[in-house]
Amino acid sequence: VCFLTVCYIIPVNASILAETGGSCDPAVECTPDGYKYQGASCRLNGDPGFKACQEAFKDDLIASTCIASMLATFLMSIFARMPLAVAPAMGVNAYFTYNVVGYMSTKRVTYKQALAAAFIEGWIFIFISVSGVRGRLVEMIPKNIMYGTAAGIGCFLAFVGLQQSEGIAFIVHDPATLVT
């Protein structure tokens, strides 16, 4: 199950993050005519030059996700002595993509600014973990909240996997249930 989960996370993580537009600059990557007539909006209208940059960016994300997962899994097995696979958290990546940067960089925060903020946040988390504050915070959370959160996330992931657009199409659109 762990291996299959990582096999799922790697391409989906890359697909989610590629929707930010990444480091692709419309002024450079869009075709000259596309940028001349549409400006930066060429990234939203399927410009072939921008799409090629986005596909290359997605390939780079797949490679970097594999390398980061391999390194994190190795460190987990050596230092924590737990043979668990470690991969990026897809919820954080979805928040990063759709709420912070926006689809094709349509929000106020640029991809590079958001990436810098995530880097700083990572160092803060390492400091909190090493200092022991994180462990004390986790101990303060009631067990029923922990179990409820785990069950809720599991149900949400099952729901996404059963939808028509994301999975096996067991759950389909119906206006009566507001499922899209």
Side-chain angles (χ1 to χ4, degrees), residues 84-121:
L84 299 174
V86 181
M90 291 188 347
V92 173
N93 292 335
Y95 175 76
F96 177 91
T97 298
Y98 301 116
N99 293 354
V100 178
V101 179
Y103 177 74
M104 294 300 160
S105 297
T106 53
K107 302 275 182 169
R108 289 185 177 191
V109 179
T110 67
Y111 177 77
K112 291 179 182 179
Q113 291 169 336
L115 209 53
F119 180 76
I120 293 168
E121 176 261 337

Side-chain angles (χ1 to χ4, degrees), residues 8-167:
Y8 170 76
I9 287 173
I10 289 169
V12 172
N13 175 58
S15 295
I16 289 172
L17 289 175
E19 289 190 2
T20 63
S23 57
C24 299
D25 182 9
V28 176
E29 305 301 339
C30 288
T31 58
D33 285 340
Y35 191 74
K36 179 181 176 184
Y37 296 115
Q38 299 175 8
S41 297
C42 65
R43 70 180 184 263
L44 302 172
N45 298 327
D47 184 84
F50 193 82
K51 279 203 170 286
C53 178
Q54 192 178 11
E55 284 300 316
F57 179 66
K58 189 175 181 180
D59 292 344
D60 293 344
L61 286 170
I62 288 173
S64 62
T65 302
C66 289
I67 292 167
S69 296
M70 178 195 68
L71 181 62
T73 300
F74 177 75
L75 292 173
M76 174 69 93
S77 66
I78 297 298
F79 293 113
R81 295 188 182 135
M82 297 183 78
L84 299 174
V86 181
M90 291 188 347
V92 173
N93 292 335
Y95 175 76
F96 177 91
T97 298
Y98 301 116
N99 293 354
V100 178
V101 179
Y103 177 74
M104 294 300 160
S105 297
T106 53
K107 302 275 182 169
R108 289 185 177 191
V109 179
T110 67
Y111 177 77
K112 291 179 182 179
Q113 291 169 336
L115 209 53
F119 180 76
I120 293 168
E121 176 261 337
W123 281 107
I124 292 170
F125 185 78
I126 288 173
F127 173 73
I128 289 171
S129 296
V130 170
S131 68
V133 173
R134 187 192 66 82
R136 290 192 293 275
L137 289 173
V138 169
E139 290 172 2
M140 292 171 50
I141 300 172
K143 290 287 185 199
N144 56 352
I145 299 291
M146 286 184 174
Y147 296 142
T149 302
I153 291 171
C155 288
F156 175 71
L157 290 176
F159 177 70
V160 168
L162 293 173
Q163 287 181 12
Q164 183 175 4
S165 63
E166 302 295 331

